[in-house]
Amino acid sequence: MSSNNPPANPGAGDEGGWSGPVAGLARLVDGLRRDIDPLTTLPARVDELAEVLARLSETVASIATRRNASPAPTWLLAPTNPDDTTALLDDLTAWLAAIYLRYPDGAAVLPDCWVWHPDVVEELVWLMHAWSAAYQGPAASVALAGDWHDRQRPGVVRRVRQNVGSCSVERHQTRGGRPPLTATAPAVPAHGQLAEIAAWWATARENCPPEPAGQSVNGAHR
């Protein structure tokens, strides 16, 4: 005798005992959960990237600060302590032998009296430090090295050639009663009238300036 009673668990199947539309909905929910699970770590990854970016910004700022805080020394305003000037010349001459004089054009125009010319020493000091920044500094780069080769070094060579290229040690010596060529500090023109000019510019710049002392208007000596 057959029974008309329905089974206790109708539609039991693989999807937790459900089949048909309910099973499909369960599969959809499960798929969405698998797609969303990887996104749960996204906020943490964004925070991590933000931290990396902040550290990178601090590093760049630190490099720029160090670079700006380390200017090249100057020979023209070097300390009056002989130990300091000796150390500076020692470093410079070592660099000249190792780097600068390796370039034929630089060696050809550097006179043997170069150290008697403060302007030449000044040029070579900054060029040495530009080389160091390009090759050894915290911001050393191919671009800086290229600029040193293409613009900075040729510029110094050109100015040395123009200014002292024909000079020699003999010209700095006393020969035949001729006074030696010495590198003395130049006198600033009109130094004695600086206060007068300053007062005129501050209080009466719309009027005619004071006449140069010791000269007439047309430039002839009084």
Side-chain angles (χ1 to χ4, degrees):
M1 181 175 176
S2 62
S3 173
N4 293 326
N5 294 329
N9 190 10
D14 294 337
E15 299 294 340
W18 298 97
S19 62
V22 176
L25 181 60
R27 286 193 295 272
L28 178 61
V29 171
D30 186 60
L32 290 173
R33 184 173 62 250
R34 286 195 297 269
D35 291 340
I36 292 174
D37 281 346
L39 299 179
T40 59
T41 61
L42 185 59
R45 294 178 62 188
V46 171
D47 291 341
E48 181 181 353
L49 290 175
E51 184 178 352
V52 170
L53 181 60
R55 288 200 301 268
L56 179 60
S57 298
E58 291 175 358
T59 300
V60 171
S62 176
I63 289 175
T65 300
R66 289 199 302 271
R67 191 176 177 189
N68 293 333
S70 302
T74 171
W75 180 252
L76 297 179
L77 294 178
T80 55
N81 185 343
D83 291 339
D84 294 330
T85 52
T86 299
L88 185 55
L89 283 181
D90 286 344
D91 290 343
L92 179 59
T93 52
W95 178 82
L96 289 174
I99 304 297
Y100 183 83
L101 295 179
R102 297 286 186 177
Y103 296 87
D105 58 341
V109 304
L110 187 68
D112 50 8
C113 60
W114 67 273
V115 77
W116 275 268
H117 294 272
D119 57 325
V120 173
V121 178
E122 182 80 350
E123 290 267 22
L124 295 173
V125 166
W126 81 255
L127 186 65
M128 173 179 66
H129 282 266
W131 179 90
S132 179
Y135 283 94
Q136 300 174 329
S141 69
V142 173
L144 289 178
D147 189 51
W148 189 87
H149 283 276
D150 187 58
R151 185 177 61 87
Q152 295 174 340
R153 192 194 69 82
V156 169
V157 171
R158 182 180 66 254
R159 289 189 293 274
V160 171
R161 179 189 296 112
Q162 292 172 347
N163 296 334
V164 296
S166 61
C167 197
S168 65
V169 167
E170 287 74 21
R171 293 192 63 195
H172 295 267
Q173 297 173 341
T174 302
R175 293 290 178 88
R178 185 189 64 183
L181 176 65
T182 56
T184 57
V188 179
H191 183 269
Q193 285 191 277
L194 295 184
E196 187 179 4
I197 295 296
W200 161 73
W201 190 252
T203 62
R205 68 184 68 177
E206 301 302 326
N207 299 329
C208 293
E211 289 189 8
Q215 293 183 346
S216 63
V217 177
N218 61 13
H221 289 285
R222 290 178 179 176

